[in-house]
Amino acid sequence: MRQDPGRDLSPLLAGAAAAIAGVGAVLALTDMDSPLRAPFTLFFLLAAPGTAVAAALRGLEPFGRIVASLSAAVAVNILVAQGMLAVHRWSVRGGIAVVAALSSFMLLLVLVRRLRGRTVSRQAS
């Protein structure tokens, strides 16, 4: 029985994307001088909230999910920057930390919702 070779590539690409995003966050938080800091940090700022929103929009078609998650990622970044500027507390490290915290919170809400759905369906059967 042969498997589709493209199916084996998805976890590898997801792991590479997570590693790049993590390196971008670490480079920005530690303020290291590296030519990779700007692109990796930008990737983190788009990937972290985008992944969280994409996980919540599991029922959409793939193209609509990508567009919605990238739009939401840009909106989260803009709202974080606007909020930090409004309270006169702008900092790169603070922005990275807030985006990471919001993204983690959104992923946690999705996980709790899925686990609650499983327990309800198990109790019903």
Side-chain angles (χ1 to χ4, degrees), residues 70-83:
L70 284 176
S71 300
V74 170
V76 165
N77 288 315
I78 289 172
L79 289 172
V80 167
Q82 179 100 21

Side-chain angles (χ1 to χ4, degrees), residues 30-68:
T30 58
D31 201 26
M32 294 180 74
D33 250 353
S34 171
L36 297 175
R37 185 173 88 179
F40 282 12
T41 302
L42 179 62
F43 184 77
F44 169 77
L45 289 173
L46 291 175
T51 302
V53 172
L57 301 175
R58 192 169 68 172
L60 285 181
E61 293 181 13
F63 182 72
R65 195 169 164 187
I66 290 169
V67 170

Side-chain angles (χ1 to χ4, degrees), residues 58 109-125:
R58 192 169 68 172
L109 288 177
V110 169
L111 179 65
V112 166
R113 187 181 69 183
R114 286 185 188 167
L115 289 177
R116 184 177 295 158
R118 284 185 186 172
T119 57
V120 169
S121 65
R122 284 184 185 167
Q123 290 174 355
S125 54

